[in-house]
Amino acid sequence: MMTSLHREKRVKWVRRFISKGDFFWNKVIFSDEKKFNLDGPDGNACYWHDLRKDERFFSKRQNGGATVMVWGAISPYGVSPLVFLNGNQNSGKYCETLDKALLPFSAEMYGEMENWVYQQDGASIHRSRFTRSWLNEKGVRTMDWPAKSPDLNIIENIWGIMARRVYLRQRQFDTIEQLKEVIEDVWATISGELLQKLYRSIPRRMLAVLDGQGRATKY
């Protein structure tokens, strides 16, 4: 639930960053984790869509099923390797994921550490002392991120598009291996054109937050 304090902090964050231009945002690597179920997405899947077209929603069976958790990141120039996460995650496992996937990806996209900034949400394993120490040791610069702000995190829109494509025509899966294969195939279809469109949407998102006095936006 978004409180008045959350809204206040979102507005302050936007006022801090709204003057940043494409040069700044194109250096930001956005990241997040996402859960996929064998039997469909959780509830109604949200995704970034052309407002001139009808939205699509996906239902989920009530009896549950096995799940797959993945970590991914994006830049305007491409997507990171997709990492399938095993078991309950902690700070150590999270940093292993970053070492295995984020650091090689950032080096390929940007070269030197000072050429990019890492975005992550406020999950406890992301902001733990262990993780902060690891990021500092590796020289990874992170940006402040307001709580309750998935509408500002453009990778959330990628996850929504992924769900639409993975579960096309309400598809369900019999095995984890089958689901993983489709997730990887769909991740590989994320185009540079789509990524650049999402990056260009960031100023509009921030204006929408200001217009709504910090409330959640249509994004």
Side-chain angles (χ1 to χ4, degrees):
M1 176 180 175
M2 187 182 294
T3 66
S4 59
L5 181 59
H6 289 133
R7 294 196 295 271
E8 179 183 340
K9 289 184 176 181
R10 277 162 56 84
V11 168
K12 287 183 177 179
W13 184 91
V14 167
R15 287 175 175 164
R16 177 183 171 191
F17 285 96
I18 198 166
S19 62
K20 306 287 187 182
D22 291 345
F23 180 77
F24 172 82
W25 291 111
N26 286 343
K27 296 193 297 182
V28 178
I29 293 177
F30 287 85
S31 71
D32 200 11
E33 293 87 10
K34 171 67 175 176
K35 183 178 72 171
F36 291 88
N37 308 297
L38 287 180
D39 54 3
D42 292 324
N44 289 331
C46 300
Y47 61 93
W48 197 65
H49 65 281
D50 188 333
L51 292 176
R52 297 168 297 182
K53 299 179 181 179
D54 292 336
E55 296 186 57
R56 301 179 187 178
F57 298 96
F58 301 87
S59 62
K60 181 179 182 296
R61 290 187 307 187
Q62 297 302 311
N63 62 341
T67 64
V68 170
M69 183 72 74
V70 300
W71 175 93
I74 60 173
S75 81
Y77 316 112
V79 297
S80 74
L82 199 62
V83 179
F84 291 100
L85 306 175
N86 297 317
N88 293 331
Q89 296 297 296
N90 56 35
S91 299
K93 289 184 177 180
Y94 178 60
C95 292
E96 287 177 8
T97 295
L98 300 187
D99 194 49
K100 176 170 63 175
L102 174 66
L103 296 187
F105 174 63
S106 64
E108 179 183 356
M109 295 294 106
Y110 296 98
E112 301 297 327
M113 283 288 188
E114 60 266 22
N115 294 337
W116 59 282
V117 179
Y118 184 52
Q119 180 278 341
Q120 57 181 355
D121 65 24
S124 58
I125 63 172
H126 297 172
R127 54 185 171 82
S128 70
R129 180 179 300 177
F130 182 94
T131 298
R132 286 187 281 112
S133 176
W134 185 91
L135 291 168
N136 185 62
E137 178 184 334
K138 297 295 183 179
V140 177
R141 295 182 299 153
T142 60
M143 66 182 302
D144 294 334
W145 195 253
K148 305 294 183 179
S149 298
D151 51 348
L152 292 169
N153 189 354
I154 57 177
I155 199 173
E156 295 286 354
N157 305 110
I158 294 293
W159 294 138
I161 292 167
M162 289 279 292
R164 181 176 69 173
R165 295 177 182 177
V166 167
Y167 301 110
L168 186 64
R169 299 185 184 91
Q170 298 186 339
R171 181 177 183 180
Q172 296 176 347
F173 299 88
D174 297 321
T175 67
I176 290 293
E177 290 72 22
Q178 185 185 48
L179 175 57
K180 284 182 175 181
E181 182 178 352
V182 173
I183 291 171
E184 287 187 317
D185 289 345
V186 172
W187 183 248
T189 69
I190 301 300
S191 68
E193 179 182 3
L194 171 60
L195 293 169
Q196 290 157 24
K197 183 181 292 187
L198 287 171
Y199 272 82
R200 290 196 300 269
S201 75
I202 294 172
R204 298 194 300 274
R205 294 164 186 261
M206 292 191 288
L207 286 173
V209 170
L210 291 182
D211 289 343
Q213 298 180 330
R215 294 177 177 84
T217 70
K218 66 179 183 179
Y219 296 97

